[in-house]
Amino acid sequence: MTGIGTTCVQAGYTPGNGEPRQVPIVQSTTFRYETGEQMGWLFDLETSGYFYTRLANPTSDAVAAKIAALEGGTAAMLTASGQAASFFSIFNLAGQGDHIVASSTLYGGTFNLFSVTMAQMGIEFTFVPPNCTDDDLDAAFRPTTKAVFGETIANPALVVLDIERFAAAAHRHGVPLIVDNTFPTPIHCRPFEWGADIVIHSTTKYMDGHGAAVGGCIVDSGHFDWMAHAATFPGLTTPDESYHGVTYAERFGSAGAFITKATAHLMRDFGAVQSPQNAFLLNLGLETLHLRMRRHADNGQAVAEHLRDHPAISWVTYPGLPGDPSYNLARKYLPDGSCGVVSFGVRGGRAAGQAFMGNLKLAAIETHVADARTCCLHPASTTHRQMTDAELAAAGVSPDLVRLSCGIEDAADLIADLDQALARLE
């Protein structure tokens, strides 16, 4: 097995003699065949190949294969955004009348997708605190539950999910655990090794890392036995009459059924495809992911330690800080570092926090996170503004929370910028 850094650079694409060294951008919507019979085999899923980029494209497939290798999965697909990855990962298993158990500490856009949009589609969600007891976690399940969902490191609460415990609960009830691994990336955590079954990413964040390309990814571990739970997952274990009667779990097995169905069924109908150009840019980011993540985590740790002792700061949350509620879980799941995101409160509350952000010179106020450049945001008034006060509290988002995403600049410069911005509040 190669090291994670070598996988970042080399996996997914191996050029032949005289072929392009970099992953080629196949900027074509369609692909030519000599006979209709050849194309028919593709439509019947009898052979692999390409016939329309909404379903598959060589550039996107190479990059998806690299992410699958990084996570230790068996199959992966790229999506147009992280939101599309979240939606597909659930909708590939659940439909009207079904139910999902989810951690309450979620990114605001994901919470709204689940609690509003997918609820309108007839899928119910029960949100449980990530530190709930095992009994409370078990009590959240129903006969119609199809999956459990959580974030490795919650955005922006920075609560670390006890992946092993949530996976055990999911498996006790015969359903998979889906984990959003965007913040740590596979450089700092590989959820499959702790029992997760499906991993998703907003590749827009650290994987791209340069604010250049919106995208998402879904990776299947290949571990969940769909046929052993055939009655729970008819979409995977019974014939799909909308796709020539194929039974995905029988034809493609545990290693390929989930991603094949997501591609042949959901991507066909919803079309949330990542463009070849964006996949190319994503791959450039992946090639340096192992280098950047170490710098992001080092900067996050340095900034968190500095702010913890600053008189203008009322509180700091960062998984790497001793005494943080997630510190012990971070030592278990994230022993080599977590991420570059630090959440904190400025003394004086929301108004002081917003004034502080306006004083920053190096860090920019952006609706973004996990970028090479440092940026910050006030989630309660932006990414989470659609949530009620009770929902904000459940998500771990206080009204004064400022989310700072440390880039890969020099830590001393980031700290100097924070100090001058806080000094101007006096």
Side-chain angles (χ1 to χ4, degrees):
M1 178 180 177
T2 57
I4 196 79
T6 302
T7 302
C8 282
V9 177
Q10 296 279 358
Y13 171 71
T14 302
N17 187 48
E19 293 182 342
R21 185 63 192 88
Q22 181 56 276
V23 176
I25 305 172
V26 182
Q27 194 65 49
S28 180
T29 60
T30 54
F31 301 83
R32 179 182 177 273
Y33 287 87
E34 294 181 354
T35 70
E37 183 182 33
Q38 292 173 325
M39 186 169 286
W41 293 335
L42 293 169
F43 272 98
D44 285 342
L45 304 178
E46 296 286 350
T47 187
S48 60
Y50 303 96
F51 57 95
Y52 197 54
T53 284
R54 188 176 78 232
L55 290 166
N57 176 280
T59 307
S60 301
D61 278 2
V63 181
K66 176 176 285 190
I67 297 174
L70 286 168
E71 286 288 6
T74 57
M77 65 181 291
L78 300 186
T79 60
S81 67
Q83 281 290 85
S86 295
F87 173 69
F88 279 13
S89 70
I90 297 293
F91 203 61
N92 206 35
L93 301 174
Q96 186 175 21
D98 289 332
H99 173 255
I100 304 293
V101 176
S103 170
S104 62
T105 50
L106 295 177
Y107 164 60
T110 304
F111 180 84
N112 197 74
L113 170 67
F114 291 172
S115 65
V116 178
T117 303
M118 297 192 78
Q120 292 171 346
M121 302 170 72
I123 302 174
E124 291 189 73
F125 288 79
T126 296
F127 298 94
V128 298
N131 61 349
C132 66
T133 66
D134 287 345
D135 288 344
D136 287 341
L137 182 54
D138 281 329
F141 286 82
R142 303 176 187 174
T144 55
T145 300
K146 301 294 185 179
V148 179
F149 186 98
E151 297 177 4
T152 310
I153 304 176
N155 175 14
L158 303 183
V159 174
V160 176
L161 185 73
D162 192 340
I163 300 171
E164 199 168 32
R165 188 168 73 91
F166 271 69
H171 298 158
R172 280 197 300 274
H173 294 271
V175 300
L177 172 64
I178 303 170
V179 174
D180 183 334
N181 200 35
T182 295
F183 268 17
T185 79
I187 303 303
H188 285 155
C189 184
R190 286 159 55 102
F192 293 153
E193 295 176 358
W194 299 100
D197 301 288
I198 307 293
V199 161
I200 68 168
H201 287 273
S202 170
T203 62
T204 314
K205 309 304 190 298
Y206 286 122
M207 284 190 164
D208 168 60
H210 300 85
V214 173
C217 186
I218 305 174
V219 187
D220 185 6
S221 68
H223 295 157
F224 196 85
D225 188 344
W226 306 106
M227 291 305 297
H229 306 280
T232 305
F233 304 104
L236 287 161
T237 61
T238 61
D240 181 356
E241 299 305 333
S242 76
Y243 218 103
H244 318 293
V246 63
T247 300
Y248 297 102
E250 290 182 352
R251 175 80 66 85
F252 302 101
S254 297
F258 186 89
I259 294 299
T260 303
K261 180 181 182 297
T263 302
H265 179 193
L266 300 186
M267 193 62 81
R268 175 198 66 190
D269 291 352
F270 288 97
V273 65
Q274 186 169 146
S275 73
Q277 179 69 54
N278 277 13
F280 174 84
L281 294 172
L282 168 58
N283 188 61
L284 293 180
L286 289 171
E287 289 179 350
T288 60
L289 182 63
H290 58 302
L291 304 176
R292 291 184 289 105
M293 285 306 298
R294 295 189 182 98
R295 183 59 172 256
H296 283 296
D298 288 346
N299 282 355
Q301 186 73 31
V303 165
E305 291 175 358
H306 180 77
L307 291 178
R308 177 184 54 189
D309 301 322
H310 199 291
I313 299 298
S314 55
W315 59 269
V316 178
T317 294
Y318 186 75
L321 279 181
D324 187 272
S326 288
Y327 180 70
N328 289 333
L329 286 175
R331 292 184 68 186
K332 174 179 178 177
Y333 295 115
L334 309 158
D336 297 322
S338 56
C339 63
V341 181
V342 182
S343 293
F344 56 91
V346 179
R347 293 193 188 281
R350 178 184 293 209
Q354 291 178 325
F356 155 77
M357 291 194 301
N359 292 341
L360 292 167
K361 296 179 179 179
L362 187 62
I365 301 173
E366 299 178 13
T367 309
H368 192 38
V369 69
D371 190 82
R373 294 163 291 270
T374 297
C375 56
C376 65
L377 199 67
H378 180 250
S381 61
T382 54
T383 56
H384 289 64
R385 69 180 299 137
Q386 76 278 3
M387 299 171 71
T388 66
D389 288 346
E391 290 169 342
L392 285 170
V397 181
S398 60
D400 63 340
L401 187 153
V402 173
R403 183 188 71 186
L404 181 75
S405 176
C406 300
I408 57 175
E409 305 94 342
D410 290 337
D413 292 329
L414 298 183
I415 290 171
D417 190 34
L418 295 170
D419 282 348
Q420 67 82 25
L422 291 167
R424 291 169 62 188
L425 297 176
E426 299 176 356

